Amino acid sequence: MAEESWHQARLIPTSGINGADEQERRATSALLAVMSSVREFGRVLTQPLGAPAGQLETYIEVPFQLGERRLYPDGVLRARRGQKEWTALVEVKTGVNALDAEQLEAYLDIAREQGFDAVVTISNEIPAIAGMHPTKVDKRKLKRVALYHWSWSMILAEAVLQKEHRGVADPDQAWILGELIRYLEHPRSGALQFDDMGPSWVATREAVASGTLRPGDKCAPEVAGRFDALLRYVSLQLGRKLGDDVTPALARKELADPALRSQALVQSMSTQGILQGAINIPNAVGQLVVTADLRAGMVTCHVDIAAPRDGRATTRVNWLLRQLRHAPDSTRLEAFVMHGRGPGTAELLRAVRDQPALLIEDPKKELRSFRIALGSPLGSKRGRGRGSFIDSVENAIDTFYGDIVQDLRAWTAAPPRLRETPEQPDERSALTSTALSSQDGAEGEQPRPGADDWTAPVAESNHDGPADSAILGQPAPAVIAHRPVEPETSS
């Protein structure tokens, strides 16, 4: 038999998974075991929930009595440090299985009776906003016990970030974490990608296209929530590649009241036919804004960048062009002036490369900022695959960041330079002051009033008159910031 058909032995094998129950049990056991074995990974997951930084103990299928019923939560997490102890019940779902509200409320009752701190749920469901739970439960049961949710996508992203970027101190533990990553990335593990816009997608999309969608339609809020969930999923995927925390950008009011965000999306769908959101990427020049136009069938990504504060308008445009060498010719550029209202000038990058002045409407007006945008066709299918909405949005974000955003650097002013002290002659006139002055070296020697009959230069002082603006008081000319990899001379 050829060795190419041999399968390497794995710590957490995907073979032998028969049915949803076996899939769920194996995923639970693998995850909890690695959380207790790899200290850094267990800590990064439990610290935001309030767990102390002690050794994490994990158990599966622990029996509890609730009235006359005997229930078996999928797992238990416990962390101890000193006198502090934190315990949470764990409920896990894999594949397309959704969490059950009645089951969660029973576990909340058990946690309250046992004096536990929280109930943690794990599934492929991605909430629209971080901190929200995808399942609605009786809020009265949350007075003494907290309810948290982890999506499998978030767990996988954290595992990759910890192993590949943050690091694991022990090499053996790093290998164990790598085996968990390999398992969760396998299709048979039950840790699925975001692959469905929901049952209301087709009806909502057709209503938007025909202009019949109304803010009160029941299908619209579900699509709005799925769009925000898609942005969270794409943020996690991009964060895995960049090795940093990428998150959706939301206003404080929207974080405090998620209903406001849903209402805004439904309103924009019904009036303009668009879904819009933004992503925060660490150290990027600005938020990456995503606009899905359901009527035009286009998805557009854009980012805003402040223009330099020094130089002529053409110099500022050239500063931007030098950073867009790898950007596609179809990239759209917009320029906005100080105190200007309404849209600015807009041209495609291919034209501006030949004629930078196309972005300058009035050379006398100071440019304030630029907007860089790139559009691509928007898919319409509900699921994954060619022509799908999900794939088209994800690909648009990855392409825009890779081709444009990661090359952009914000402008910074050059620091002021010290003025060189002029050299003093060896022989001085008896009437010339030997004390140094800030006026030494000024253009020409200005005689004092009433000293016309003196032929020797007089001593100068910084109180003799106003300083020459060409020498004193003017800042050094700013150096236009350029890309460190490919330095160029400023225009």
Side-chain angles (χ1 to χ4, degrees):
M1 180 181 295
E3 292 187 5
E4 288 78 6
S5 62
W6 296 8
H7 297 284
Q8 185 177 355
R10 293 294 177 196
L11 181 65
I12 313 171
T14 55
S15 59
I17 297 178
N18 298 316
D21 291 340
E22 171 64 23
Q23 186 183 69
E24 181 181 300
R25 189 178 300 110
R26 190 174 300 192
T28 303
S29 182
L31 172 63
L32 299 189
V34 174
M35 286 178 63
S36 62
S37 300
V38 185
R39 181 183 180 88
E40 294 92 340
F41 178 58
R43 182 64 181 148
V44 78
L45 289 179
T46 58
Q47 181 182 16
L49 311 188
Q55 178 60 43
L56 188 63
E57 305 170 12
T58 57
Y59 310 88
I60 65 169
E61 296 184 344
V62 179
F64 291 96
Q65 198 72 27
L66 182 63
E68 298 181 355
R69 294 186 295 169
R70 193 169 182 82
L71 301 177
Y72 293 83
D74 292 318
V76 175
L77 298 171
R78 174 167 289 168
R80 292 191 180 98
R81 185 175 186 182
Q83 300 297 321
K84 186 175 181 180
E85 179 179 301
W86 179 87
T87 307
L89 299 179
V90 180
E91 171 61 17
V92 178
K93 298 294 183 183
T94 56
V96 296
N97 296 327
L99 296 165
D100 180 72
E102 183 178 353
Q103 187 180 37
L104 296 185
E105 290 177 355
Y107 290 164
L108 288 170
D109 290 336
I110 293 175
R112 186 184 68 253
E113 291 181 0
Q114 298 293 327
F116 295 162
D117 300 275
V119 173
V120 179
T121 60
I122 304 172
S123 74
N124 285 305
E125 300 167 88
I126 302 178
I129 297 178
M132 284 183 59
H133 200 278
T135 307
K136 294 183 179 180
V137 298
D138 189 347
K139 293 184 178 180
R140 293 174 296 181
K141 297 183 180 294
L142 303 177
K143 292 182 179 180
R144 295 174 55 187
V145 180
L147 180 63
Y148 301 104
H149 179 73
W150 296 336
S151 67
W152 283 112
S153 296
M154 185 275 289
I155 292 173
L156 181 56
E158 289 292 348
V160 173
L161 285 174
Q162 191 64 53
K163 182 179 183 296
E164 303 296 337
H165 302 283
R166 302 184 188 124
V168 178
D170 187 275
D172 292 335
Q173 293 182 10
W175 178 78
I176 292 173
L177 184 57
E179 287 295 292
L180 176 66
I181 294 171
R182 189 183 299 273
Y183 175 79
L184 294 179
E185 288 178 339
H186 198 280
R188 298 187 64 185
S189 68
L192 304 179
Q193 300 179 1
F194 184 92
D195 58 0
D196 191 0
M197 284 301 293
S200 300
W201 168 251
V202 175
T204 304
R205 183 197 67 203
E206 292 177 350
V208 169
S210 62
T212 59
L213 183 69
R214 296 294 177 263
D217 292 349
K218 296 181 179 180
C219 60
E222 180 185 341
V223 171
R226 297 298 289 179
F227 178 73
D228 275 340
L230 173 60
L231 290 183
R232 275 187 53 77
Y233 173 79
V234 174
S235 299
L236 291 170
Q237 298 300 103
L238 186 57
R240 286 176 55 184
K241 301 172 185 175
L242 301 179
D244 216 327
D245 294 323
V246 179
T247 57
L250 295 171
R252 291 183 179 179
K253 293 182 179 180
E254 294 173 338
L255 290 173
D257 187 2
L260 294 177
R261 169 64 179 168
S262 178
Q263 292 171 4
L265 281 177
V266 171
Q267 183 68 23
S268 66
M269 272 195 299
S270 59
T271 57
Q272 305 174 51
I274 65 172
L275 289 165
Q276 189 176 77
I279 295 175
N280 282 327
I281 303 172
N283 301 319
V285 294
Q287 293 180 349
L288 194 160
V289 182
V290 186
T291 304
D293 192 329
L294 302 181
R295 292 176 182 169
M298 291 289 295
V299 54
T300 303
C301 298
H302 79 256
V303 66
D304 293 333
I305 182 172
R309 290 290 174 260
D310 289 343
R312 297 173 300 174
T314 306
T315 302
R316 302 183 188 193
V317 174
N318 287 330
W319 168 84
L320 178 65
L321 292 177
R322 284 194 296 272
Q323 302 188 66
L324 297 176
R325 289 182 175 176
H326 303 99
D329 288 340
S330 58
T331 304
R332 187 178 76 250
L333 302 181
E334 296 181 57
F336 302 92
V337 298
M338 286 287 188
H339 313 297
R341 296 183 179 180
T345 55
E347 288 290 346
L348 293 181
L349 180 58
R350 68 166 65 94
V352 180
R353 280 172 171 157
D354 295 332
Q355 302 182 50
L358 291 176
L359 284 182
I360 305 170
E361 185 176 11
D362 186 351
K364 297 181 180 179
K365 294 183 178 180
E366 185 178 1
L367 290 180
R368 168 175 53 89
S369 63
F370 300 103
R371 172 167 295 180
I372 307 147
L374 183 63
S376 58
L378 179 66
S380 59
K381 294 182 180 178
R382 165 183 168 178
R384 284 275 186 175
R386 185 177 181 181
S388 73
F389 178 85
I390 297 172
D391 286 343
S392 61
V393 172
E394 184 175 5
N395 292 337
I397 293 174
D398 289 346
T399 300
F400 184 70
Y401 181 83
D403 291 347
I404 296 175
V405 178
Q406 69 177 2
D407 292 331
L408 295 177
R409 300 291 182 271
W411 177 82
T412 56
R417 302 182 64 86
L418 289 172
R419 178 186 171 195
E420 295 182 1
T421 303
E423 296 183 1
Q424 299 297 325
D426 294 337
E427 297 182 0
R428 296 178 177 272
S429 170
L431 298 178
T432 302
S433 173
T434 59
L436 297 178
S437 170
S438 63
Q439 299 301 294
D440 290 344
E443 293 183 1
E445 297 292 349
Q446 302 296 329
R448 298 184 183 219
D452 295 338
D453 53 344
W454 285 81
T455 58
V458 298
E460 297 174 343
S461 168
N462 58 359
H463 297 289
D464 290 341
D468 188 344
S469 61
I471 302 297
L472 185 66
Q474 288 288 344
V479 179
I480 300 297
H482 55 78
R483 294 178 52 171
V485 178
E486 302 176 0
E488 278 202 2
T489 305
S490 168
S491 297

